Amino acid sequence: MKVLLRGVHLDLSDALRAYVDEHLVSHIERFADDEAAEIDISLVDTNGPKGGVDKECRVTVRLPGLSAVHVTETADSLFPAIDASRDRLEKTLKRTLEKRRDAHTAGLPQDTGADVPTY
């Protein structure tokens, strides 16, 4: 999986990179074991040093054969925004992959041996 990480209006420290890798990328990698898969992460400080609830984690996941999944979460610091993004991405990817599986097998288990219509 190709990982693109960028900071917009903020510097990415080694600790922040490690946190993103451990708490976001490692959880999403289980959905995409393909080299063509890509996760694009943008960590943004919208107000700059003014403070407030202005830290965003924007994540776009592109998996082969599926449309891109995009999630944006805002919080008062980056760490909760990263965690919230991970949770939403996991739910969305599970739902997307389940819909794809249901459409492919017409809702039948794969081992039934029944004739499955092709779409």
Side-chain angles (χ1 to χ4, degrees):
M1 172 181 252
K2 183 177 177 183
V3 178
L4 304 168
L5 176 63
R6 77 187 103 213
V8 179
H9 304 296
L10 57 89
D11 294 324
L12 295 176
S13 65
D14 291 337
L16 187 56
R17 288 177 190 272
Y19 189 87
V20 167
D21 190 49
E22 180 182 343
H23 291 266
L24 180 63
V25 175
S26 63
H27 289 265
I28 303 305
E29 279 182 333
R30 66 188 172 114
F31 294 104
D33 56 356
D34 192 340
E35 289 181 20
E38 179 179 277
I39 183 168
D40 185 1
I41 306 163
S42 296
L43 302 176
V44 183
D45 186 1
T46 55
N47 290 340
K50 292 180 191 176
V53 181
D54 68 335
K55 308 295 189 289
E56 287 184 356
C57 178
R58 302 174 186 163
V59 184
T60 303
V61 177
R62 294 175 189 88
L63 300 176
L66 295 176
S67 60
V69 176
H70 181 77
V71 170
T72 300
E73 284 292 330
T74 305
D76 58 347
S77 78
L78 286 172
F79 300 109
I82 292 167
D83 291 340
S85 294
R86 177 202 57 225
D87 295 342
R88 281 191 53 205
L89 271 173
E90 284 181 335
K91 286 181 190 177
T92 304
L93 288 171
K94 282 180 188 175
R95 185 177 35 211
T96 302
L97 292 172
E98 188 64 33
K99 283 181 183 178
R100 180 180 180 193
R101 188 174 304 121
D102 286 346
H104 178 68
T105 62
L108 298 173
Q110 299 230 354
D111 59 348
T112 61
D115 291 333
V116 178
T118 57
Y119 298 97

